[in-house]
Amino acid sequence: MTGRSAPAVLPPSLRGWLGPIAALAALVVVVLGVRYAGDSGPGTVDARIWAAVDGMGSPWRHVALATDFLGEPVGAATLVVATVTGCLLLRRPRAAVLVVVGVSMTVGTATLLKSLVGRTIHGADNLSYPSGHTAFLTALALVVALLATGRLGLGRTAGTSLVLTVALVAGAAMGWAQVALGAHYPTDVLGGWCTALAVVPATAWLVDRMADRLVDRATDAGRREVG
């Protein structure tokens, strides 16, 4: 099911643009990580954005809490299972693999970076950079956007615009919730968004490459048996 008969999870039309974008995102993650390494307070930009969202009323707080739940274990697992199921129903096995591997790699990278950077919020035990919630939802949105691009047969410009727009909406929604609830600094959110943008395209390329190699080996083995 994961052979070349299965559509690529990273549409060929996007490879030329998503590569440089992923590299730029990785650079942003590194620069912010170095800038806020070992820090425990908001930067100038963080403070200004926090001031803008301060005083959020009760209805908006409920929205923020509901959005935050999507990044918690139960909410995240529900989203992943639903997305994998949808990919399989659409006969997109590589996309299903990418949901699991891409999201896991993104969250794992964010967790590793937290330990390396050591930025904290509300106490020494609360590592904050980058935002894992934002990285998770952005990664899942990226996979869905890549799937939609492939199914719709979008070209490079339209496909890249769709992928970036979906990623931006998902990242902004979760990022707003994290900042509004005081769980993360705005720069943590940016770091989480860029982490997903760096990891998912690279993982998608690897999924396609490994799937193609498996098919090549199976084909070669079949030819030897026939010969």
Side-chain angles (χ1 to χ4, degrees), residues 70-91:
L70 298 178
E72 294 296 316
V74 174
T78 301
L79 283 179
V80 168
V81 170
T83 307
V84 168
T85 301
C87 291
L88 294 177
L89 289 175
L90 292 172
R91 296 183 178 181

Side-chain angles (χ1 to χ4, degrees), residues 16-224:
W17 283 22
L18 286 187
I21 290 173
L24 179 60
L27 179 61
V28 172
V29 171
V30 172
V31 170
L32 289 177
V34 172
R35 166 63 180 83
Y36 294 106
D39 220 339
S40 60
T44 303
V45 174
D46 295 322
R48 290 179 178 176
I49 296 177
W50 251 359
V53 301
D54 192 28
M56 178 180 57
S58 180
W60 286 110
R61 180 171 178 79
H62 291 314
V63 173
L65 288 171
T67 304
D68 175 75
F69 174 74
L70 298 178
E72 294 296 316
V74 174
T78 301
L79 283 179
V80 168
V81 170
T83 307
V84 168
T85 301
C87 291
L88 294 177
L89 289 175
L90 292 172
R91 296 183 178 181
R92 291 297 189 270
R94 294 192 188 189
V97 172
L98 181 61
V99 171
V100 177
V101 179
V103 169
S104 298
M105 289 290 291
T106 300
V107 174
T109 300
T111 302
L112 176 62
L113 287 171
K114 283 184 178 182
S115 298
L116 293 175
V117 175
R119 189 185 196 188
T120 59
I121 185 172
H122 307 314
D125 294 332
N126 297 315
L127 297 173
S128 66
Y129 180 88
S131 167
H133 280 61
T134 306
F136 163 76
L137 195 62
T138 303
L140 194 63
L142 280 169
V143 177
V144 173
L146 289 173
L147 174 61
T149 298
R151 283 188 62 82
L152 295 174
L154 299 180
R156 183 171 59 179
T157 301
T160 303
S161 297
L162 175 63
V163 169
L164 293 180
T165 298
V166 170
L168 182 59
V169 170
M174 182 60 79
W176 165 79
Q178 297 307 299
V179 173
L181 293 173
H184 282 284
Y185 301 116
T187 42
D188 296 335
V189 168
L190 178 58
W193 186 73
C194 287
T195 297
L197 202 58
V199 172
V200 171
T203 307
W205 179 82
L206 286 173
V207 168
D208 282 332
R209 188 172 179 83
M210 291 180 67
D212 289 342
R213 284 185 174 180
L214 288 175
V215 164
D216 289 341
R217 290 177 182 176
T219 301
D220 290 341
R223 288 174 179 172
R224 293 192 191 98

